[in-house]
Amino acid sequence: MSDGLRGTDWTRSEVQLCVANYFDLLEKQNANEPFIKAHVYRDLAQQTGRTASSIEFKFQNISAVLNEMGLDWLTGLAPLANFQKLLAETINEYEDRVRALATVSEPKGLEDLAGLFVESPPERAIGKTSIPEYMEKLVRKFDPVERDRKNRLLGEAGEEIALEYEKRCLHAIERHDLAKNVRWVSKIEGDGAGYDILSFDGRGEKKFIEVKTTIGSNTTPFFISRNEFDFSKRETERFRLFRVFDFRKSPRAFELQGPLENFVRLSTETFRADFRA
């Protein structure tokens, strides 16, 4: 089909149609139900007069908005920026579906820990990297930082992955003596230690691992408490932040070692209010 609409702005009804169909497919993906994207592109092309490739690009724009919101997106449709304000406004209209997609009530984790890929951390952005105000408001409305922080099931599932990963690494270098002493501190003693997992390097030196887990991408922001931050400053050489991401699709991870401010921009989002001096 030739795109007689090439160069024209997408209408609200066209964008709504694409967003609704994208959410349908994403729900199927999360439920492990089969679908063929090309068939959806073809059907939407017939309904809108756009080409199938234009529909695919619009789907990638939707992936870009969801990525900014710290949500997972359709596999094979990598985020494509430069989207219309109308697209963000339309996704905002689907509040119930967005919140449902953000919910991970029964995290599955990894059936086979060997499938966990630990990669290099993302590079810290240099210079001004602000997003449009309308997009910033949308992200704050569905705040991925607060969402992940409150989801204890998600957090525990990520910590369990990190625990088993550390044991596996130690067994791989035949330090079975150390592997049996890896401890899930936050599970045993609570959250007050400033880290979640006690592990060791190959020489037997302790590692203090704080785990942060998200269903979003590797650049999704995360919350770190004052206690965790202070501990990381005291134990700079032995502190590790283990970030698990893409949890619902195919969990991956990266590790930060050393001062956190070398890797991320730290900002104060909340304040403690006290009537005492």
Side-chain angles (χ1 to χ4, degrees), residues 22 25-26 29 35 37 59 63 72-78:
Y22 188 105
L25 296 185
L26 193 52
Q29 175 176 282
F35 59 86
K37 294 194 289 288
F59 272 33
S63 293
D72 48 6
W73 32 270
L74 283 170
T75 300
L77 288 172

Side-chain angles (χ1 to χ4, degrees), residues 9 62 75 104 121 158 163 177 207 242:
D9 290 339
I62 296 171
T75 300
V104 184
L163 178 79
D177 56 325
K207 294 195 300 181
F242 194 80

Side-chain angles (χ1 to χ4, degrees), residues 60-76:
Q60 289 184 267
N61 290 151
I62 296 171
S63 293
V65 176
L66 296 182
N67 186 56
E68 288 286 353
M69 296 168 68
L71 293 167
D72 48 6
W73 32 270
L74 283 170
T75 300

Side-chain angles (χ1 to χ4, degrees), residues 170-190:
L170 289 168
H171 282 305
I173 59 174
E174 298 187 350
R175 289 306 308 263
H176 312 296
D177 56 325
L178 296 176
K180 69 181 182 181
N181 288 320
V182 174
R183 296 175 61 229
W184 192 347
V185 175
S186 61
K187 186 82 166 180
I188 300 169
E189 301 176 6

Side-chain angles (χ1 to χ4, degrees), residues 131-142:
I131 60 177
E133 183 180 357
Y134 65 82
M135 195 64 225
E136 185 176 351
K137 288 182 178 178
L138 183 63
V139 172
R140 286 190 175 274
K141 178 178 179 179
F142 298 100

Side-chain angles (χ1 to χ4, degrees), residues 85-156:
K85 179 181 179 181
L86 175 60
L87 179 56
E89 292 174 343
T90 302
I91 289 175
N92 185 44
E93 295 171 1
Y94 288 80
E95 180 172 349
D96 290 343
R97 298 192 75 172
V98 171
R99 295 199 185 280
L101 289 170
T103 301
V104 184
S105 56
E106 295 182 4
K108 296 178 181 178
L110 284 175
E111 293 181 2
D112 177 13
L113 193 62
L116 178 67
F117 180 62
V118 178
E119 59 191 56
S120 300
E123 292 186 7
R124 181 176 177 179
I126 304 299
K128 188 175 181 180
T129 58
S130 60
I131 60 177
E133 183 180 357
Y134 65 82
M135 195 64 225
E136 185 176 351
K137 288 182 178 178
L138 183 63
V139 172
R140 286 190 175 274
K141 178 178 179 179
F142 298 100
D143 189 3
V145 178
E146 188 67 8
R147 176 200 70 209
D148 291 339
R149 184 182 74 84
K150 288 182 175 179
N151 194 331
R152 180 158 292 276
L153 286 175
L154 178 67
E156 288 185 356

